[in-house]
Amino acid sequence: MKLQHLIKHLHRYEVSSDYNPEISSIVMDSRKVIEGSLFFCIKGYTVDGHQFAKDAVANGAVAIISEKHMALSVPVIVVPDTMRAMAILADVFYEQPTHKLHLIGVTGTNGKTTTTHIIESIFQSHQQKTGMIGTIYMKMGNETFPVKNTTPDALTLQESFHQMVENKVNTVVMEVSSHALHMGRVFGCDFDVAVFTNLSQDHLDYHKTMEEYQFAKSLLFSSLGNTYNLSKPKYAVLNADDASSDFFRRATAAQVITYGIKESADIMAKNVVTTAKGTSFELMYDDKCIPIQLKLVGEFSVYNVLAAIAASYVSDIPMETILPVVEQITGVPGRFESIEGGQDFTVIVDYAHTPDSLENVLKTTKQLSQNQIYCIVGCGGDRDRTKRPLMAAVAVNYANKAIFTSDNPRSEDPLQIFNDMRSGVVSDRPYEIVEDRKMAIYKAIEMAKTGDVVLIAGKGHETYQVIGEKVHEFDDRKIALEAIHAKISS
């Protein structure tokens, strides 16, 4: 694609030259520049891409998109906002791939990963070739690829969508984080279905207030547009039991379908019963009542399943296809995942890293066991400090004993994190601090007796721990299994 043809899609720009090179690739990392690249200077939190413009030219870039004038040997296109320009031009360069896909976006504080996995399984059962983008990985058909962010930047997204179209993918389901919505990473994405799971305190280090956090989430629903295309209808799938749904309903012109357990909704679960083997409920929709038996455990799992059912149903997948799939789903890595090593007590690893998600998991755990519950929990460094005392309070209130340990302390002193957590402990419930996460896991498992439950919360599927500037290999599931084997063999 020629440069001049590409940039004509921008409304405001100044170009330093009428030279019209062929653009072979578009990049925002100077290390990925090849001969013929168009390089975007993006201002990040720690580095400014403008500093690498000369390097990009030296590596073969034939044009630069910048927010300021620079004396370079290639055309420099100056725009008010390089991030926004990148989203527009990526969409053009990759031939607007999301217009050729059925795109489902899932947002919310908790449940995004499980919900997207359930939706993907449903569509696969309906003979659709699927793509998935989320916290754990990016997936195209049966191939998986690593991801750095829950929702990648606009350039990576459009390139990925283009590859999916080339590989005959029909439907893509993706997690959409509040950061991504606020930063414009999903600009240009033509969503067909937007799903809301729930909203509780998280990411206030970034959004500052719950109102701002809620507003960021609402951008997904407003992005569904203001017109009605009967051949490509848009739907907002909302949790009727969450108060924020009213805000999102007002933010969208799309048709709304609701799901829930407590409040009246289009798709409802009634008479929910949780056991150690799964969860049963009666599914109510279109004046029908169908008994459902899940292998998943807990009320929070029911919400995820209802969200997935609703998103699939509005996508014209029949219930006859949907329901057998949800009844066979066994779970997602690191989400209420049971670790089995031949022990006579239960060990669960979960990604719960917000007060609300930790409370949901502990409530479910208490339903499953009348014996002792040990909860290992930490809070991330350089992140929202206000949720730390709340996390600690939930842990000590629901567990028989809580062990506060390191999560990803990053550059923060773990002692400061523990002090913040301790401020939330107002009861006399027992807890202790074990800074080393491996030692904390070993200690809890050593204390566990027949019928007890050990919940290891916060990191779930993650296979690393960030301490200072170093990323260390660390997997709660592997460490727990080691500790179980060590206990059994001792």
Side-chain angles (χ1 to χ4, degrees), residues 1 21-26 33-38 60 62 93-94:
M1 186 177 293
E22 185 73 26
I23 302 300
S24 61
S25 70
I26 55 177
V33 169
I34 60 173
E35 191 65 38
S37 291
L38 171 63
V62 293
F93 185 80
Y94 289 112

Side-chain angles (χ1 to χ4, degrees), residues 94-115:
Y94 289 112
E95 301 174 325
Q96 297 191 299
T98 58
H99 292 249
K100 305 164 189 174
L101 297 165
H102 183 68
L103 183 59
I104 301 173
V106 181
T107 197
T109 306
N110 307 313
K112 295 187 296 295
T113 300
T114 300
T115 301

Side-chain angles (χ1 to χ4, degrees), residues 436-466:
D436 184 282
R437 191 173 182 91
K438 180 176 180 177
M439 289 179 61
I441 292 171
Y442 266 75
K443 182 159 193 173
I445 287 175
E446 183 58 38
M447 288 189 295
K449 294 181 174 57
T450 302
D452 290 347
V453 179
V454 176
L455 173 66
I456 307 169
K459 294 180 64 60
H461 66 282
E462 292 180 354
T463 57
Y464 61 86
Q465 188 175 28
V466 185

Side-chain angles (χ1 to χ4, degrees), residues 362-386:
L362 280 168
K363 279 182 177 178
T364 299
T365 302
K366 287 182 76 70
Q367 287 180 303
L368 303 181
S369 175
Q370 300 302 313
N371 293 342
Q372 298 291 300
I373 296 174
Y374 300 91
C375 178
I376 300 167
V377 64
C379 294
D382 304 329
R383 297 293 187 268
D384 181 8
R385 291 182 62 179
T386 63

Side-chain angles (χ1 to χ4, degrees), residues 289-307:
C289 177
I290 299 177
I292 302 294
Q293 180 63 57
L294 303 179
K295 293 182 178 179
L296 300 173
V297 175
E299 188 179 84
F300 60 90
S301 295
V302 176
Y303 278 108
N304 296 335
V305 165
L306 291 176

Side-chain angles (χ1 to χ4, degrees), residues 92-198:
V92 175
F93 185 80
Y94 289 112
E95 301 174 325
Q96 297 191 299
T98 58
H99 292 249
K100 305 164 189 174
L101 297 165
H102 183 68
L103 183 59
I104 301 173
V106 181
T107 197
T109 306
N110 307 313
K112 295 187 296 295
T113 300
T114 300
T115 301
T116 54
H117 276 75
I118 298 172
I119 293 171
E120 186 211 24
S121 295
I122 292 169
F123 275 83
Q124 285 181 336
S125 182
H126 197 55
Q127 307 306 311
Q128 296 281 298
K129 187 172 183 180
T130 58
M132 185 165 60
I133 302 171
T135 305
I136 301 179
Y137 46 58
M138 182 183 296
K139 192 175 178 187
M140 190 185 312
N142 293 318
E143 276 192 278
T144 60
F145 309 89
V147 291
K148 290 183 179 179
N149 299 308
T150 298
T151 313
D153 61 83
L155 188 55
T156 303
L157 269 181
Q158 296 301 335
E159 181 181 14
S160 300
F161 290 139
H162 176 73
Q163 290 175 347
M164 291 178 185
V165 169
E166 292 290 300
N167 282 277
K168 310 300 182 186
V169 166
N170 311 107
T171 296
V172 178
V173 55
M174 62 181 291
E175 298 180 47
V176 187
S177 70
S178 58
H179 289 72
L181 288 160
H182 186 261
M183 296 168 69
R185 292 184 199 156
V186 293
F187 284 169
C189 295
D190 184 23
F191 288 100
D192 297 291
V193 181
V195 181
F196 168 58
T197 58
N198 49 64

